[in-house]
Amino acid sequence: MTSHDTAIEVPAAVVLVVGVSGSGKSTVARLLADRLGRPYRDADDFHPPANRARMAAGEPLTDADRAPWLSAVAAWMDQEIAAGRRAVVTCSALKHAYRDQLLAGRPGVRLLYLRGSRELIRSRLAARHGHFFPTSLLDSQFADLEEPTPDEHPCVVEIDRPPEAVVAAAMSLLGADRAPDHPSPGTAGARALPTEEPHMPPNATGEQWQLRHGGQRAVVVQLGGALRHYEMDGRPLLDGFTADTRITGGRGQLLVPWPNRVGGGRYHFQGQDLQLPLTEPEKHNAIHGLLRWTPWQLLARSDDTVRVGTTLFPQPGYPFLLEVLAEYRLGADGLEVAVTATNAGDTAAPYGAGQHPYLTVGTSTVDTALLTVPARYRLLTDEQGLPAGREPVENTDYDFRTGRPIGEQQLDTAFDGLDRDPSGRAVVRLAHPSGLHGIDLWLGEGARYVQVYTGDTLSEPARRRRGVAVEAMSCPADAFRSGTGLTTLEPGGSHVLRWGLGPWGTAG
């Protein structure tokens, strides 16, 4: 399916609602089944009497106790799928292995995970009467809990709101609030997908996933999971790209598993000498990672949130296995982005991440825009664009700690020594010459460096100095060789890069 800005997910044949006891699985599943017009079953119905008696007595179940129960739930789902019936079923399914048993070989099953704090769920259990599951077993539930990982493609909904709001969020993430749950006559079981705009043919960047919140609109694309567009009240704040043009200059792209450059593409890691493809041949570098030109998969979506992911498989120069997830979320304060990588392999992996949006405040060039960069140091570079030293910005042309016009200065500069506010964020600001409006790019968890680029060397002369690329990075250029800021992801380990955009002021 390819559509313009309106791509949606088709609701699954079976929605499997999981979470610890007390998270509201039964209530949410009943409401969801009612909204979808589907049959509903509670996994508690599949427990043999002996299991119920154990739990009522405060005895945690073992894996052996749960095995026939999970088999019974799986058999019921197979029965519904074989009969062509769409259904909703609950099951705590706390461990990854349990969910594997329920999901493996069943592509029509979609996971809905209800997530809540221990304190909230404890209070709900204490207020629940007449149920065989006692509050005393809650600690054992959290001890067993292994939250769903990206490879399970979960829809995740927080439960700290009324059940109707939880269901509404789940419907949105499942795409069920925009697609009919019954096929139209003559479609032989296929679903008609309503769209707000005409169907679009395949284009240069694939699916277009739109987010809205208040006056904000953002678009994420299938190609590389890149951020194509962001606006506030109709005013573009990114110098992005259109759906049907190829991406140039790294615009909005996710840079994984390294940002910026690796000199010569050659590095040494834990006894291995490795050679990456030289994707910047004119400077003899490997640049901006391995996932920019990979189609990413839509994992979950609501009106204001899009979650996409992909797998980075072992390959020449990077023989490591990563699951990578990017979540874009619009809220009252702007756009928040979280890029999470998990090492799914059995050996440690070198890792870095970044993202490459170009900011604009509506000026024809960046010369008159006011730039603020809260950094005490800049990295010097050689002719290959690789770090060659570090110097304080004080009393130099690179001191933007107080906002000032960019003028004719050419920037392709990495900064560190970032000053952060009490929340832990460092804020780079681009302001209109009037000072009345602008856009802030904040750097949060995992974003320890920032690259600022005025676009003077872009291959398209018409796009030079039209926007300022402000690149959140976990490490500087050449980290695979120098080790500076490099993250070593152990098997099962994860890294998060968190950054965002905050528009402010008014053009009026």
Side-chain angles (χ1 to χ4, degrees):
M1 179 189 67
T2 302
S3 62
H4 180 62
D5 282 2
T6 55
I8 62 173
E9 288 189 283
V10 176
V14 175
V15 178
L16 175 62
V17 185
V18 305
V20 301
S21 185
S23 60
K25 296 189 300 296
S26 298
T27 300
V28 169
R30 285 193 188 97
L31 289 171
L32 182 62
D34 184 65
R35 291 279 298 275
L36 294 174
R38 300 183 177 193
Y40 155 74
R41 286 293 299 271
D42 194 309
D44 287 344
D45 297 341
F46 297 93
H47 271 303
N51 281 6
R52 288 171 169 262
R54 283 176 182 267
M55 289 186 282
E59 298 177 18
L61 299 181
T62 65
D63 285 355
D65 294 328
R66 292 188 177 101
W69 169 62
L70 292 168
S71 295
V73 175
W76 183 83
M77 291 195 301
D78 287 339
Q79 169 189 307
E80 297 303 295
I81 293 170
R85 291 190 292 267
R86 301 180 181 275
V88 178
V89 62
T90 68
C91 183
S92 54
L94 301 177
K95 294 183 180 181
H96 194 99
Y98 300 164
R99 296 189 296 272
D100 275 350
Q101 184 174 340
L102 298 174
L103 297 174
R106 300 180 180 90
V109 178
R110 190 66 191 276
L111 195 65
L112 174 62
Y113 171 49
L114 304 183
R115 181 167 61 191
S117 69
R118 187 188 301 247
E119 293 74 22
L120 173 61
I121 293 173
R122 187 181 300 278
S123 68
R124 291 186 175 182
L125 284 175
R128 189 165 69 175
H129 301 289
H131 194 277
F132 62 82
F133 188 92
T135 305
S136 60
L137 284 182
L138 181 61
D139 288 340
S140 70
Q141 291 258 302
F142 273 96
D144 285 344
L145 176 63
E146 297 169 358
E147 291 202 329
T149 51
D151 61 306
E152 298 174 80
H153 309 310
C155 292
V156 181
V157 179
E158 300 291 339
I159 63 169
D160 57 347
R161 44 188 153 172
E164 292 79 7
V166 173
V167 171
M171 294 275 289
S172 186
L173 286 173
L174 292 164
D177 58 343
R178 290 180 295 274
D181 205 34
H182 303 285
S184 301
T187 59
R191 299 263 238 354
L193 299 178
T195 58
E196 299 167 3
E197 300 179 30
H199 179 80
M200 297 291 289
N203 56 51
T205 54
E207 301 280 354
Q208 309 289 303
W209 300 308
Q210 184 171 241
L211 302 78
R212 288 188 181 273
H213 183 94
Q216 300 174 80
R217 187 172 77 94
V219 181
V220 176
V221 302
Q222 181 184 16
L223 180 61
L227 177 62
R228 176 170 80 75
H229 180 81
Y230 178 58
E231 68 178 49
M232 179 67 178
D233 295 332
R235 185 171 70 248
L237 294 166
L238 292 185
D239 183 22
F241 53 94
T242 61
D244 55 356
T245 59
R246 66 187 185 90
I247 305 173
T248 59
R251 296 178 187 279
Q253 290 185 313
L254 290 156
L255 316 177
V256 174
W258 75 87
N260 216 293
R261 297 166 171 87
V262 177
R266 184 180 295 277
Y267 67 103
H268 183 86
F269 183 76
Q270 295 194 349
Q272 297 184 79
D273 289 314
L274 298 164
Q275 176 66 59
L276 296 160
L278 298 183
T279 46
E280 190 183 39
E282 66 276 14
K283 292 187 176 181
H284 200 64
N285 293 321
I287 190 169
H288 289 336
L290 299 167
L291 293 178
R292 291 195 290 161
W293 311 111
T294 298
W296 288 48
Q297 180 183 3
L298 179 64
L299 303 181
R301 182 182 177 196
S302 66
D303 290 340
D304 58 11
T305 303
V306 165
R307 190 177 298 114
V308 296
T310 191
T311 300
L312 176 56
F313 289 101
Q315 56 194 271
Y318 197 81
F320 310 104
L321 178 64
L322 303 184
E323 294 289 344
V324 188
L325 171 73
E327 180 175 282
Y328 298 86
R329 182 182 296 272
L330 287 176
D333 297 327
L335 175 69
E336 180 173 344
V337 183
V339 183
T340 304
T342 301
N343 184 350
D346 55 8
T347 61
Y351 181 77
Q355 194 156 4
H356 207 296
Y358 287 71
L359 309 186
T360 180
V361 288
T363 56
S364 59
T365 69
V366 301
D367 299 35
T368 58
L370 309 176
L371 176 66
T372 306
V373 183
R376 288 171 278 120
Y377 300 94
R378 74 164 178 127
L379 301 185
L380 307 175
T381 55
D382 61 18
E383 64 278 359
Q384 282 184 266
L386 305 174
R390 180 176 183 256
E391 72 171 18
V393 299
E394 189 171 6
N395 298 322
T396 74
D397 290 340
Y398 296 90
D399 191 349
F400 286 92
R401 289 176 294 176
T402 299
R404 61 179 175 85
I406 295 171
E408 297 180 356
Q409 186 169 357
Q410 297 186 10
L411 295 171
D412 192 0
T413 308
F415 295 89
D416 74 342
L418 301 175
D419 292 325
R420 298 179 182 266
D421 63 22
S423 70
R425 294 178 174 182
V427 179
V428 176
R429 168 166 288 190
L430 192 69
H432 188 268
S434 68
L436 296 178
H437 64 92
I439 178 75
D440 289 346
L441 187 148
W442 56 263
L443 303 120
E445 178 184 358
R448 292 176 285 180
Y449 298 81
V450 65
Q451 183 95 8
V452 180
Y453 173 50
T454 48
D456 303 274
T457 57
L458 290 172
S459 60
E460 304 164 284
R463 305 213 64 164
R464 294 174 183 171
R465 299 186 70 82
R466 215 171 75 176
V468 179
V470 181
E471 179 185 346
M473 304 189 300
S474 67
C475 58
D478 220 23
F480 272 28
R481 296 201 308 162
S482 69
T484 303
L486 185 68
T487 296
T488 297
L489 280 179
E490 298 295 337
S494 296
H495 178 276
V496 179
L497 177 81
R498 201 178 300 276
W499 68 277
L501 297 171
W504 54 271
T506 172

